[in-house]
Amino acid sequence: MNKLVSVIIPTIGRPDYIKGTIDSILMQDYKEIEVLVSDNLPNVSTQSVLGNIIDPRIKIIERNRRYNFSDHMNMCINDAQGTYIMILSDDDLLSSNYVTSMVTKFQEERDMMVGIGIQKVLSESDISIGTYETNCITKSFDGLEFMLAQF
């Protein structure tokens, strides 16, 4: 059985993008995924935007007040149930094999690997303003040690 991957999406009600982000997660070839959308007291509820998407892997958490970024992220991480946690911006899209590729790398390597891949930047009117490719960065350090240093 594959290990559960928690995909955390912190948002403040960006209805123009969040549906595409969630669609790209649900189309992953890796199926052991939970999607945690954390609404940080938005003006537009993510639930209202996703009304017709019904998938048991999606959990929408509506916060009762606006939190600063670090507090919001810590709450999101605490809500996650997965062995692996992935933080995704609410306007990002994933290729269909992204999660499989990353989980495979984490299982093959003892050291942590961080990768971005190809990033396509679009203007607000969805016009491409650039494509940037970043190679994976490999550094020999313990994942827990890294996380504790970051948070």
Side-chain angles (χ1 to χ4, degrees), residues 5 17 29 35 38 47 50 53 55 65 69 91 93 125 127 132 136 144:
V5 174
Y17 301 106
D29 58 8
V35 181
S38 182
Q47 184 65 59
L50 300 179
I53 297 179
D55 191 299
R65 68 179 183 89
F69 181 79
D91 61 351
L93 302 175
S125 55
I127 296 170
Y132 307 94
C136 288
L144 179 59

Side-chain angles (χ1 to χ4, degrees), residues 94-111:
L94 300 176
S95 61
S96 62
N97 66 341
Y98 185 86
V99 175
T100 296
S101 298
M102 294 308 289
V103 169
T104 300
K105 281 293 184 192
F106 281 120
Q107 290 174 343
E108 289 174 354
E109 305 287 335
R110 176 161 164 71
D111 297 332

Side-chain angles (χ1 to χ4, degrees), residues 117-119 131-135:
I118 298 173
Q119 181 179 29
T131 301
Y132 307 94
E133 187 167 347
T134 304
N135 293 324

Side-chain angles (χ1 to χ4, degrees), residues 9-104:
I9 308 170
T11 189
I12 304 178
R14 293 179 11 141
D16 295 339
Y17 301 106
I18 192 78
K19 185 177 180 318
T21 299
I22 291 174
D23 285 344
S24 78
I25 297 166
L26 297 178
M27 289 189 285
Q28 292 296 300
D29 58 8
Y30 191 95
K31 299 302 179 191
E32 296 297 319
I33 293 176
E34 75 169 342
V35 181
L36 301 175
V37 181
S38 182
D39 249 341
N40 197 5
L41 195 66
N43 293 327
V44 178
S45 167
T46 297
Q47 184 65 59
S48 67
V49 173
L50 300 179
N52 62 346
I53 297 179
I54 299 171
D55 191 299
R57 297 175 290 174
I58 301 172
K59 180 179 177 186
I60 298 173
I61 303 163
E62 294 186 350
R63 305 295 177 187
N64 59 358
R65 68 179 183 89
R66 178 78 44 98
Y67 292 92
N68 67 45
F69 181 79
S70 60
D71 288 342
H72 188 210
M73 280 314 247
N74 286 334
M75 287 188 289
C76 292
I77 291 168
N78 286 333
D79 292 330
Q81 300 296 310
T83 301
Y84 301 109
I85 297 174
M86 177 182 175
I87 300 169
L88 191 63
S89 293
D90 61 3
D91 61 351
D92 288 350
L93 302 175
L94 300 176
S95 61
S96 62
N97 66 341
Y98 185 86
V99 175
T100 296
S101 298
M102 294 308 289
V103 169
T104 300

